[in-house]
Amino acid sequence: MWGAPFLLGLLTSIAGIVLLGATFFTSMVTVFFIGMMLVIGGVLEIIAAVRSRGESRGAFWSLMLGGVLTTVVGILTVMYPAAGLASLTLLIAGYFFASGLFHAITSVMDRYFQWGWDLAYGIISVFLGLSVMARWPASSVWLVGTLVGLAVFFRGIFMMSGSLVLRRGIRHVQA
């Protein structure tokens, strides 16, 4: 009962290590995937606009324009993956910076329980955001692939640890 999730977690962790070894390839596949999801989402939004045409004129135009924009951005991302990767890298860097700034400021202002950890997270995130921005566009080559690889690796670790907790629980119930 616990062996299959453990094996799946092990294979997922191995896949994460492989992805970390090929960060540029991982980055490009991720950008292609995001582009295709944008295209699919945009087309579905256009379909929703056409289907809601008789209900509300404002909803129709909102859905239609949003769908067209999403589809065009998706197509451009797939056609020009390097530009899409550079844009995604800037977006992530901006997120790191803004999120870190928010955490740092709120932790100092509110001084809640263990606020120092949140302050440390904020400072590290601001530094990471600034570092990625300072090295942009060269940071585009490795950032997205590294983040995806780490996410897959740690997902596998969490799956394995969850299966071991399940194993422990099963043994406890049987005893």
Side-chain angles (χ1 to χ4, degrees):
M1 192 173 205
W2 65 272
F6 184 85
L7 181 61
L8 183 60
L10 180 63
L11 293 174
T12 303
S13 293
I14 292 169
I17 292 169
V18 170
L19 293 175
L20 284 168
T23 55
F24 180 70
F25 175 75
T26 304
S27 296
M28 295 309 282
V29 168
T30 302
V31 166
F32 180 78
F33 178 77
I34 290 170
M36 290 307 297
M37 291 296 104
L38 286 170
V39 170
I40 291 168
V43 168
L44 291 175
E45 204 168 359
I46 291 169
I47 291 170
V50 171
R51 293 185 74 188
S52 72
R53 185 176 27 180
E55 297 171 20
S56 167
R57 200 160 168 82
F60 169 78
W61 284 110
S62 175
L63 286 170
M64 182 59 78
L65 293 175
V68 168
L69 177 64
T70 303
T71 304
V72 168
V73 169
I75 290 170
L76 289 173
T77 302
V78 171
M79 287 177 56
Y80 303 103
L85 183 59
S87 300
L88 184 58
T89 301
L90 274 182
L91 185 66
I92 291 170
Y95 169 77
F96 283 149
F97 180 78
S99 173
L101 202 58
F102 173 78
H103 280 272
I105 290 171
T106 55
S107 66
V108 170
M109 297 290 289
D110 293 344
R111 302 269 173 123
Y112 42 81
F113 180 67
Q114 294 189 345
W115 64 274
W117 288 107
D118 216 17
L119 175 63
Y121 166 80
I123 291 169
I124 291 169
S125 290
V126 166
F127 176 74
L128 182 58
L130 290 173
S131 287
V132 170
M133 284 183 216
R135 290 175 179 78
W136 186 83
S139 59
S140 301
V141 174
W142 60 267
L143 179 70
V144 174
T146 300
L147 293 176
V148 169
L150 287 172
V152 170
F153 174 75
F154 282 110
R155 177 68 180 157
I157 296 294
F158 294 140
M159 289 168 65
M160 287 189 298
S161 67
S163 69
L164 292 176
V165 169
L166 178 62
R167 176 181 167 202
R168 198 173 315 129
I170 292 170
R171 284 188 177 171
H172 180 65
V173 169
Q174 290 175 347

